[in-house]
Amino acid sequence: MPQLAYVDGRMVPLRNAMIHVEDRGLQFADSLYEVCAIMNGRLLDWPGHLARLRRGLAALFIDFPMSDAALGIVARRLVAVNGHSDGLLYLQLTRGSARRDHGFPAAPSPSLIMTVRRFDFAQRVRQQATGVSVVTVNDMRWRRVDLKTTGLLANVLAKQDARAAGAFEAWLVAEDGTLREGSSTNAWIVKDGRLLTHPLSESILPGIARSALIDLARGAKIPVDERPFSLAEALAADEALLTSTTAPLLPVVRIDGQAIGTGTPGPIAARLAPLVWGEIERQTGWRA
Ligand code: PLP
């Protein structure tokens, strides 16, 4: 059965799924996106993704007429017709197509596209045993990265640097030495039993997995400090971690080739992992 995509109200074969050449998402990155995990055929943390999308739409003055309920129905229908048990739902909402002009079109007609693809979450469970390495790069992004826009060129280049170095992720470091987040993940360190992650601000993406981990850690009486920390602090940390929709919890054992702590996944990661997978199972019934 061919894979289906959703394009502006229609389910179409993925290979024929197209948008206009003058779509503002293409020309200006004038668009927002979400990536939501499909686990056991269900959408994980869907309300959180929807809330972040709505916040972004409001900030960009994109008036999208579809209700939350209708968006949920379409997303779930696309998941069902493609028959993926474990995968990723990609949703992108653009200001629509119009004759190219920087200012907003007089009567914008936003475009909504969605695709799904298979994704192996079990590999992330296996990677927990060894941990992953990251490299650091300068954070070259614009100043509103709290909005999940498709303006991801700096993230793309950062991830490519990581790949070239054989690392899993690139961590983005601000000019003042503050470690902000990864190219597509949020960053964490552990020091003296406390979890640290960058506070919500305009300079990081409010990750759904980040928010889930904060709640789970606090629920387990592991203290969490949402405060900026430097690359130097990260290098001297007891443990480091990253989180995202596609990597709900991964220990980071090396930064720029330097071992963190013992250079192996640490005890706080080991405590958090079953909580993270437990919450996923509670929501979706998914088990590794
Ligand atoms: N930070 C950035 C820059 C991202 O692009 C992402 C996800 O794509 C994340 C963090 C993690 O966000 P989430 O947990 O919602 O997947």
Side-chain angles (χ1 to χ4, degrees), residues 158-175:
K159 187 74 93 187
Q160 197 54 34
D161 279 348
R163 265 200 204 151
F168 181 84
E169 177 60 304
W171 275 2
L172 311 177
V173 180
E175 268 175 22

Side-chain angles (χ1 to χ4, degrees), residues 33-35 49 52 141 145 148 152 155 169 172 181-187 204-211 243-247:
Y33 76 105
E34 285 293 328
V35 177
H49 288 279
R52 185 169 62 185
R141 301 173 300 164
V145 296
K148 200 164 167 63
L152 292 174
N155 308 57
E169 177 60 304
L172 311 177
E181 62 178 333
S183 70
S184 64
T185 57
N186 288 109
I204 67 158
L205 185 82
I208 305 296
R210 172 189 179 281
S211 152
T243 56
S244 74
T245 295
T246 58

Side-chain angles (χ1 to χ4, degrees), residues 34 45-58 68 208:
E34 285 293 328
D45 291 324
W46 175 247
H49 288 279
L50 214 47
R52 185 169 62 185
L53 179 69
R54 290 285 177 203
R55 177 179 171 270
L57 288 172
D68 284 0
I208 305 296

